[in-house]
Amino acid sequence: MPELLQFAFSGLTVGAVYALVALGFTLIYNASDVVNFAQGEFVMLGGMITVFLHLAGLPLPIAAVAAILITVLVGLALYAFAIDLARGSGAVQIIIITIGASIFLRGVAQVIFDKRFHALPAWFGSEPIRLGGAAILPQSLVVLAGAALIVALIFLMIDRTILGRAILATATNRLAARLVGIPVRRIVALSFALSAAIGAIAGLLVTPITLTSYDVGTLMALKGFAAAMLGGMGSAPGAIVGGVLLGLAESFGAGLISSKYKDAIAFLIILFTLFVRPQGLFGKRSTERV
Amino acid sequence: MERLLRNRWALVLALALVLAALPLVFPSNYYFRVAALVNIFALAAIGLNLLMGYAGQVSLGHAGFMGIGAYAVAIGASRFGLNGAVAMLAGAAIAGLLAFLVGRPILRLKGHYLAVATLGLGLLISMTLTNEAGWTGGPDGMAVPRLELFGLRLRGPDTWYMISAGALVLGVILALNLIESPTGRAMRAIHDSEIAARVVGVDVAAYKLKIFVISAIYASIAGSLMAFLNGHITPDGTAGFLRSVELVTMVVLGGLGSVLGAIVGAAMLVILPQALTIFHEYEHLLLGLIIMASMILLPRGVIPSLLARLRGGGA
Amino acid sequence: MSALLETENLSIAFGGITAVDQVSLAVSPGQIHSVIGPNGAGKTTLFNLISGLYQPSGGRVNLAGEEVTGLPPEQLARRGLSRSFQNLQIFFRMSAVENVMVGCHRHERTGILSHLLALPNVRAENRNSREIAMAQLARVGLADLAEKEAGSLSYGALKRLEIARALATEPRILLLDEPAAGCNAVETEEIDRVIHDVAKAGIAILLVEHDMRLVMRISDEITVLERGRKLVSGKPDAVREDPRVIAAYLGTFGSEEANRA
Ligand SMILES: Nc1ncnc2c1ncn2[C@@H]1O[C@H](COP(=O)(O)OP(=O)(O)OP(=O)(O)O)[C@@H](O)[C@H]1O
Ligand SMILES: [Mg+2]
């Protein structure tokens, strides 16, 4: 029993990170139809920049804030110098561009930083908390709380602010949004900035637990994308549920079946889910009009 | 010129002539190696282009099938004592069978869901190759026994250049034949309107599956050839996600729906990074830049852009 | 004459609205049966149900005496039912003649291995399909444009291309959804002639069309839909005079089309 609780906790922790990545995917996708495979690199940058600024002597909180800001700039640059230039290209072309961007960012990180693994100190020490026989790292609670806070803020913003309304309008119908005077391109740029920030925060929250290195982004992006599809592309609640489910599936799969195949188990579950529900868990099933 | 690009026999002939003439100007084995790699990736890209450019179905996991072909010849020869050529055919059969079994549910998906499902399939294959170290040697890979055919030991990049060139020409001929056949028309129709294809009696699901199987076999054969050429294979090098991305980029860069385009795309994406190996440190950085720049500058692909230019200029 | 196609109480709902509500009608070989009604009446949806694109929530469809309710479109095509679309569904990247050759698909017999090898029988079949396709293009007056890429053709030409493609399947019943919409007078004339021709060859025709003059002139039978329900059906003269039809049209279409009718 304590084992299952342990699996549940570690699953929730990773799942929270996947959920954040998936939420970033969804924000950008809703604003622009772009599937941003560079989303995982934001997570990598958040962790790596914090690590290196900290090594360079900056206090941790300042390093963290700087890392978020720099990642946001990277996100904006990605939009301005790649995505925006490719406006009007097909979906496959855009996907390739974002994959290219992720390879590029990985290459840059490898040159600027290094190829080693790095850790950050846990925020509240690393003495595990005992609960029902399971050991929980305090940092896990930080990750969960941080993720919950970000999700709450994003939902509040979309629900309550004019900006949120504009994002919603852009997601629903871009042409109509443009016609009523919403600066659609700026909204899209904003979605990149926001996603970058979310990714960076996810990165610096989770680095004390999972470590980071220049190449953690790829798998992160694949998992985040998979989580978003599992939930149903374009659905923010779907992204979060998808992320958490994916984390749990991985954790229980690794614990109960085979740790070598934990990633494989996660993708098998996604494949089977899509076979049964081709539109994802929260996606709307619509009859194609002719 | 446009005629030439459109006439299929002219294309085959020109390709065969170029492939036959190139060895005359190759100064070293290194050139044979790179050219053989171009042939091999072109073969896989042509298969993928049938699926993506003609039938309109994306696959982000196609390198998985290359991996199957590569490991089939390595494992088949070293563990089962199969002749390499037989192992290659066995690999193609396995890849085709796998594509047949998983293709129907996967190809029911559309757009990004199809992308994630094919990506997942590719990852599952490469993870299996990585994890079953007892068979595959794990992440560090395994050696590939040399192919022996009619008492000849086939070795050296020049030999494999010739063999891969032959395979490429054959692959081009088969692909061009297919495109100009009832199956080809059905798959091109599916790309433009599945609904219209269905109401005139095209079994869309069945055709998608057929093309998926064919493209998997192309990739598998290419994977086997790559294994023979390199003599050593790894899961990432044959079946990894990055390989799948490269294949897709080759197809799109050369031109969706253009057999010649797949060859051009493969050539560009094999040769450019080779030319850049002097910047070893910056390999990923440059590869990323190349991929981004080519998609931004030539979103429609080299060959279609060229054709449009010629048509515009000729009129 | 017994009916080739029959619908019995065919229905479907989207969310709250019942787009097609218990519609029954019948078409016999060689007959031209028109379905008319205001925008949003459910005409296209009815076609989508009959041609297997939508699954009905109630009712049935019979084709040549057999129940075919819910069969997928490709199987219906093999049983001799084909259609055109109100919103063009063209294979834009293929030439006009290739578009129609896809219509020959259900008669093509060679297998995929022969296709890969381009065996002589495939070449013969290609030639045969091309001939059939050329004949159908000529039938709708597009022979001159056969080698043009479909994406470059005019709207009116594409409308006829769809008809030619559907005819290439050698259907027993043809569903035409607003074939004359967006066509000029000459093109409409041409389509009128083609429909007549096809019916004379013994093919049953179910037609949706807003051009009332065309409908009144060529229909043997008319069914009027309003908000998914069958309002009236009968001979053109009877339908034209029916007060319920006039009311429905005055209410929604405006007087202009009612006058034209
Ligand atoms: N796939 C669908 N999903 C939801 N609602 C639909 C769908 N298809 C049709 N409808 C609805 O069904 C109703 C009937 O539409 P339909 O297209 O059949 O009308 P129509 O008679 O063909 O009109 P028109 O003359 O404009 O072509 C409309 O209210 C339409 O919005
Ligand atoms: Mg309609």
Side-chain angles (χ1 to χ4, degrees):
Chain A
M1 243 9 235
E3 260 162 40
L4 295 187
L5 197 62
Q6 188 76 56
F7 298 153
F9 258 108
S10 51
L12 278 178
T13 311
V14 223
V17 178
Y18 295 160
L20 288 182
V21 180
L23 186 63
F25 260 115
T26 307
L27 278 177
I28 291 181
Y29 178 77
N30 279 346
S32 62
D33 281 348
V34 169
V35 173
N36 176 29
F37 270 97
Q39 192 70 28
E41 308 311 321
F42 296 153
V43 179
M44 178 273 289
L45 287 175
M48 288 294 269
I49 297 175
T50 311
V51 166
F52 276 79
L53 289 181
H54 186 51
L55 282 180
L58 283 184
L60 205 48
I62 296 180
V65 171
I68 296 172
L69 291 179
I70 295 172
T71 309
V72 165
L73 287 182
V74 171
L76 286 172
L78 171 64
Y79 173 67
F81 298 119
I83 306 297
D84 195 41
L85 295 181
R87 252 175 308 150
S89 294
V92 182
Q93 281 84 347
I94 302 267
I95 286 188
I96 297 177
I97 289 175
T98 64
I99 294 177
S102 98
I103 298 172
F104 170 73
L105 289 174
R106 206 180 322 149
V108 172
Q110 172 189 343
V111 173
I112 299 184
F113 307 127
D114 59 22
K115 289 180 153 190
R116 280 201 300 273
F117 279 99
H118 296 277
L120 281 173
W123 294 20
F124 301 107
S126 41
E127 191 60 38
I129 304 164
R130 300 259 155 216
L131 198 105
I136 303 155
L137 292 173
Q139 188 67 25
S140 288
L141 298 178
V142 174
V143 171
L144 287 174
L149 187 67
I150 292 174
V151 168
L153 284 177
I154 296 279
F155 275 76
L156 267 180
M157 184 203 73
I158 290 188
D159 222 40
R160 296 288 161 79
T161 64
I162 295 191
L163 190 63
R165 298 275 138 174
I167 293 177
L168 218 52
T170 309
T172 315
N173 185 335
R174 222 155 296 144
L175 181 64
R178 184 166 293 138
L179 291 179
V180 298
I182 294 173
V184 168
R185 280 170 72 189
R186 233 181 292 163
I187 296 286
V188 176
L190 184 80
S191 74
F192 273 84
L194 214 51
S195 291
I198 295 175
I201 295 173
L204 61 91
L205 286 178
V206 79
T207 298
I209 304 177
T210 58
L211 308 187
T212 189
S213 75
Y214 79 104
D215 63 353
V216 295
T218 317
L219 211 51
M220 201 51 94
L222 298 185
K223 299 275 181 64
F225 177 46
M229 305 311 294
L230 183 62
M233 199 68 186
S235 156
I240 290 152
V241 173
V244 172
L245 282 181
L246 190 62
L248 288 173
E250 249 182 61
S251 165
F252 279 95
L256 301 177
I257 306 172
S258 147
S259 65
K260 280 196 308 191
Y261 278 103
K262 76 177 166 79
D263 295 330
I265 292 163
F267 274 97
L268 271 178
I269 289 174
I270 288 168
L271 283 178
F272 280 111
T273 309
L274 290 182
F275 292 169
V276 182
R277 272 186 76 83
Q279 73 279 31
L281 293 173
F282 285 64
K284 287 181 288 295
R285 168 158 245 163
S286 66
T287 316
E288 193 180 349
R289 289 202 185 206
V290 271
Chain B
M1 180 73 183
E2 190 198 338
R3 275 269 178 74
L4 199 72
L5 285 175
R6 286 190 167 278
N7 183 316
R8 58 177 158 151
W9 296 121
L11 175 64
V12 172
L13 199 65
L15 178 69
L17 283 177
V18 170
L19 288 173
L22 278 177
L24 303 176
V25 297
F26 281 162
S28 71
N29 258 347
Y30 172 76
Y31 284 76
F32 279 102
R33 225 190 89 73
V34 174
L37 278 176
V38 170
N39 293 341
I40 287 166
F41 278 101
L43 188 63
I46 288 170
L48 184 56
N49 203 358
L50 289 175
L51 182 70
M52 285 182 59
Y54 290 95
Q57 310 298 309
V58 71
S59 170
L60 283 184
H62 233 58
F65 296 115
M66 279 187 91
I68 290 178
Y71 278 88
V73 294
I75 296 175
S78 64
R79 298 294 158 90
F80 298 100
L82 289 179
N83 177 281
V86 176
M88 179 159 118
L89 293 180
I94 294 170
L97 187 68
L98 179 67
F100 179 77
L101 292 177
V102 299
R104 201 171 267 271
I106 283 186
L107 293 164
R108 268 193 5 197
L109 302 171
K110 292 193 191 321
H112 299 312
Y113 295 97
L114 177 62
V116 79
T118 50
L119 189 161
L121 176 66
L123 286 180
L124 286 174
I125 296 174
S126 74
M127 284 173 202
T128 309
L129 294 176
T130 309
N131 286 333
E132 294 304 315
W135 289 93
T136 64
D140 296 331
M142 68 189 294
V144 184
R146 297 228 174 278
L147 175 65
E148 250 180 76
L149 218 51
F150 314 118
L152 285 173
R153 295 197 90 193
L154 301 179
R155 56 191 308 167
D158 45 352
T159 311
W160 283 106
Y161 169 79
M162 296 301 179
I163 294 174
S164 61
L168 175 60
V169 172
L170 191 64
V172 168
I173 293 175
L174 294 183
L176 291 173
N177 285 343
L178 191 69
I179 292 161
E180 295 295 331
S181 75
T183 300
R185 288 192 290 277
M187 70 186 191
R188 284 142 69 202
I190 290 170
H191 193 177
D192 281 338
S193 169
E194 284 192 19
I195 285 168
R198 295 181 72 187
V199 302
V200 294
V202 174
D203 188 339
V204 168
Y207 274 100
K208 285 184 186 174
L209 188 60
K210 284 181 194 170
I211 306 303
F212 193 56
V213 169
I214 289 176
S215 70
I217 292 175
Y218 266 82
S220 173
I221 300 275
S224 298
L225 292 173
M226 186 160 77
F228 285 131
L229 173 72
N230 288 342
H232 187 270
I233 51 176
T234 63
D236 274 351
T238 55
F241 176 60
L242 210 56
R243 273 275 177 269
S244 291
V245 170
E246 277 177 349
L247 284 180
V248 171
T249 311
M250 286 169 184
V251 170
V252 181
L253 175 59
L256 285 164
S258 162
V259 171
L260 179 58
I263 302 173
V264 172
M268 290 172 73
L269 236 57
V270 170
I271 295 171
L272 267 180
Q274 292 288 340
L276 296 170
T277 40
I278 27 170
F279 307 103
H280 185 69
E281 249 321 68
Y282 300 91
E283 193 186 329
H284 273 128
L285 192 158
L286 290 171
L287 180 65
L289 271 185
I290 292 171
I291 289 178
M292 279 199 287
S294 52
M295 282 303 110
I296 293 172
L297 299 175
L298 287 168
R300 291 171 56 204
V302 175
I303 297 299
S305 304
L306 201 62
L307 278 176
R309 173 90 31 105
L310 287 174
R311 206 171 303 157
Chain C
M1 210 184 317
S2 74
L4 178 66
L5 176 88
E6 282 174 306
T7 71
E8 288 171 23
N9 300 324
L10 209 52
S11 307
I12 191 174
F14 297 109
I17 39 166
T18 310
V20 171
D21 196 356
Q22 310 248 333
V23 174
S24 302
L25 52 76
V27 199
S28 311
Q31 193 188 31
I32 301 177
H33 189 142
S34 292
V35 178
I36 63 171
N39 291 108
K43 306 179 293 290
T44 299
T45 308
L46 177 66
F47 272 26
N48 289 344
L49 287 171
I50 295 174
S51 59
L53 292 175
Y54 292 174
Q55 294 292 325
S57 52
R60 47 188 282 162
V61 182
N62 297 331
L63 183 60
E66 280 177 67
E67 176 165 6
V68 295
T69 321
L71 281 191
E74 56 272 21
Q75 286 189 28
L76 291 170
R78 270 172 244 153
R79 289 165 184 251
L81 182 147
S82 195
R83 66 172 287 183
S84 74
F85 293 89
Q86 178 178 0
N87 300 317
L88 292 172
Q89 296 285 337
I90 295 288
F91 310 132
F92 283 106
R93 277 167 278 209
M94 301 167 76
S95 68
V97 65
E98 280 179 322
N99 266 266
V100 184
M101 285 167 84
V102 177
C104 301
H105 187 80
R106 78 180 184 102
H107 305 291
E108 291 169 332
R109 289 286 168 266
T110 51
I112 193 159
L113 279 181
S114 351
H115 295 165
L116 282 165
L117 300 172
L119 295 183
N121 61 350
V122 178
R123 274 176 271 158
E125 190 165 65
N126 277 342
R127 270 198 304 277
N128 187 38
S129 292
R130 181 172 284 270
E131 262 166 41
I132 295 173
M134 287 304 296
Q136 297 298 354
L137 279 177
R139 195 170 178 185
V140 301
L142 291 178
D144 295 345
L145 302 174
E147 300 302 333
K148 283 259 182 325
E149 187 169 290
S152 68
L153 300 187
S154 72
Y155 190 81
L158 292 177
K159 280 276 174 192
R160 284 178 284 155
L161 184 61
E162 281 213 349
I163 299 176
R165 185 178 65 197
L167 284 174
T169 68
E170 296 179 14
R172 289 192 285 175
I173 173 151
L174 186 60
L175 277 53
L176 300 173
D177 196 350
E178 307 205 8
C183 293
N184 61 34
V186 182
E187 288 166 335
T188 305
E189 195 67 23
E190 182 93 24
I191 285 170
D192 182 344
R193 183 186 57 71
V194 171
I195 295 175
H196 253 299
D197 244 35
V198 172
K200 213 174 272 161
I203 296 172
I205 288 181
L206 197 57
L207 172 73
V208 167
E209 186 47 65
H210 275 304
D211 184 330
M212 283 306 135
R213 264 179 305 182
L214 179 65
V215 168
M216 291 300 162
R217 193 166 60 230
I218 67 174
S219 306
D220 299 308
E221 176 98 13
I222 295 179
T223 294
V224 186
L225 288 188
E226 197 205 8
R227 283 189 230 151
R229 285 178 171 277
K230 182 159 94 174
L231 193 63
V232 182
S233 77
K235 300 271 170 254
D237 289 337
V239 168
R240 193 192 336 238
E241 249 106 73
D242 194 297
R244 286 168 298 179
V245 178
I246 295 172
Y249 269 60
L250 285 178
T252 49
F253 265 23
S255 51
E256 190 219 3
E257 266 194 79
N259 286 343
R260 272 210 268 151

